[in-house]
Amino acid sequence: MNLLVTGGCGFIGSNFVRAMLEKYPAYTVINLDYLTYAGNLRNLEGLERHPKYHFVKGSICDRGAVSALVSKFAVDAIVNFAAETHVDRSISGSSVFVETNVGGTNTLLEVAKDHGIKRFVQVSTDEVYGSLGASGAFTESTPLHPNSPYAASKAAADLLVLAYHHTFGLPALITRCSNNYGPYQFPEKLIPLMIINALNDKPLPVYGDGLNVRDWLHVSDHCTAIDAVLHSGNVGEVYNVGGENEWKNIDIVRLLLSHVRKPETLITFVKDRPGHDRRYAIDAAKIGSKLGWKPSVKFEGGMRSTIEWYQQHESWWREIITGEYQDYYRKMYADR
Ligand code: NAD
Ligand code: DAU
């Protein structure tokens, strides 16, 4: 198979590219990434000379470039990770989220249709369902109710994907996953940001009362779920992916402080995220029963290995947190 992965230099995409090359030595993997602030060639260091791997710098919004690439590599399948992904950034400015997440997905769908692509997997998110109360979990039939500009842009993309399947018979599928953690996650997201601040003895900025709940899944388990959907999912369908592993933010922060042996006095409660979704929880029964997928990484061990990864890859995150990141951090946290 000639597999086009978009956004392969980001957190989940880079883990997925490695997993595919390892598991399917006969596949050719083409990684199209625009190298935004979140894209990092170092995430795929060591693969530069891999005979089955090709990196192409470009945008999913550039129809001519995507079309040429699909022809050149005789692409059979597309897995679309490329996106703007940080909720707080979407609150500061939503335009690029619409351009990339909606416009870019639309461009990929047009090219996929024109070239008769055999499988198209859209990597979506549980955030399209909105927020839950104290009980219950999102199923694939939960109505869409996105609350942030990020979530709204992902929901719009999902609707386009389903429309392309319905109208043109495009063999498209959607995954909607809960919060991921693991190696190579950009340190604007909760877990890497807190690990790095703790290692640097900096305050850990917990939004609001810290009681918002997220359902955490190790990135390697998300990758096996996407693999299952790519190879065995039913076209036109949505598959929820999650770890049945709900944690309050404050408890996650306490857990990681205890791992790195730093004091809880570093915890600082700051102004809440506007429109902050209270709780996410995924019902992943469908992908379990239909495709036999289940998570394999236990949270305690996964967190320990993730923290160790950040401790052992200091040059990776130091490079990121100098430069542009400092402006971002000041803007995001100065007035909180
Ligand atoms: P990320 O921010 O780490 O990486 C995004 C990647 O997309 C970067 O490499 C960036 O350079 C690339 N990109 C951005 N705009 C592009 C464009 N126009 N053309 C080509 N490449 C472009 O994101 P992530 O956390 O790895 O998320 C990947 C996907 O998974 C996203 O679609 C996201 O919505 C979805 N998702 C993420 C999570 C999570 O917890 N991180 C959970 C569920 C779903
Ligand atoms: O649920 C899947 C989604 O998970 C993905 O679609 C998104 O791309 C990904 O960014 C993530 O969204 P969240 O908003 O849940 O993740 P984030 O890491 O930004 O925040 C997790 C929780 O921690 C959330 O309740 C906000 C809180 N938080 C976050 C940061 C960055 C803090 O309390 N302090 C912080 O500094």
Side-chain angles (χ1 to χ4, degrees), residues 18-292:
R18 282 186 197 282
M20 289 297 98
L21 289 169
E22 234 163 71
K23 184 166 173 195
Y24 303 105
Y27 286 15
T28 297
V29 176
I30 305 105
N31 170 15
L32 174 69
D33 197 295
Y34 199 37
L35 296 180
T36 67
Y37 78 92
N40 187 346
L41 286 172
R42 283 192 71 182
N43 294 1
L44 288 167
E45 228 164 28
L47 288 184
E48 297 82 356
R49 293 203 172 77
H50 192 294
K52 293 288 194 179
Y53 171 70
H54 303 270
F55 169 68
V56 178
K57 184 178 180 219
S59 172
I60 58 166
C61 302
D62 182 345
R63 185 172 175 160
V66 178
S67 185
L69 181 153
V70 166
S71 295
K72 177 176 169 195
F73 290 99
V75 168
D76 303 297
I78 299 177
V79 180
N80 181 28
F81 291 92
E84 289 295 329
T85 62
H86 195 41
V87 173
D88 293 312
R89 288 186 192 254
S90 80
I91 295 167
S92 308
S94 56
S95 297
V96 70
F97 283 74
V98 176
E99 284 154 25
T100 301
N101 301 359
V102 187
T105 301
N106 188 57
T107 302
L108 287 176
L109 289 166
E110 287 181 319
V111 173
K113 172 170 81 66
D114 291 351
H115 289 260
I117 291 295
K118 298 186 194 86
R119 304 285 278 188
F120 184 104
V121 178
Q122 173 71 1
V123 181
S124 186
T125 168
D126 60 358
E127 298 203 8
V128 298
Y129 297 121
S131 186
L132 289 165
S135 61
F138 300 129
T139 71
E140 287 81 359
S141 51
T142 300
L144 300 189
H145 195 293
N147 288 320
S148 71
Y150 161 70
S153 69
K154 292 295 287 187
D158 283 13
L159 294 178
L160 279 167
V161 171
L162 294 173
Y164 264 72
H165 170 71
H166 183 83
T167 309
F168 305 111
L170 188 80
L173 308 97
I174 295 175
T175 59
R176 292 188 182 139
C177 189
S178 61
N179 287 61
N180 286 210
Y181 70 99
Y184 299 104
Q185 187 165 29
F186 193 86
E188 64 192 351
K189 307 293 194 315
L190 179 76
I191 288 181
L193 184 141
M194 296 297 175
I195 295 172
I196 290 171
N197 281 16
L199 294 176
N200 286 327
D201 297 305
K202 280 181 62 181
L204 308 193
V206 174
Y207 296 167
D209 59 8
L211 300 181
N212 299 65
V213 172
R214 296 293 182 266
D215 172 0
W216 293 94
L217 183 74
H218 193 269
V219 63
S220 60
D221 282 324
H222 189 186
C223 291
T224 60
I226 295 167
D227 179 8
V229 170
L230 170 67
H231 289 93
S232 318
N234 266 344
V235 295
E237 293 195 16
V238 174
Y239 294 87
N240 281 356
V241 183
E244 284 180 23
N245 178 40
E246 292 181 50
W247 284 77
K248 293 186 186 86
N249 293 338
I250 187 67
D251 293 336
I252 294 266
V253 171
R254 288 198 179 112
L255 176 74
L256 69 86
L257 279 171
S258 77
H259 274 298
V260 297
R261 297 198 169 80
K262 296 283 177 152
E264 290 195 5
T265 49
L266 284 176
I267 295 174
T268 314
F269 289 93
V270 299
K271 201 163 105 202
D272 210 353
R273 171 186 281 173
H276 197 174
D277 284 340
R278 192 62 169 171
R279 176 173 163 263
Y280 302 147
I282 275 279
D283 178 341
K286 177 179 174 182
I287 190 170
S289 64
K290 302 282 184 206
L291 306 184

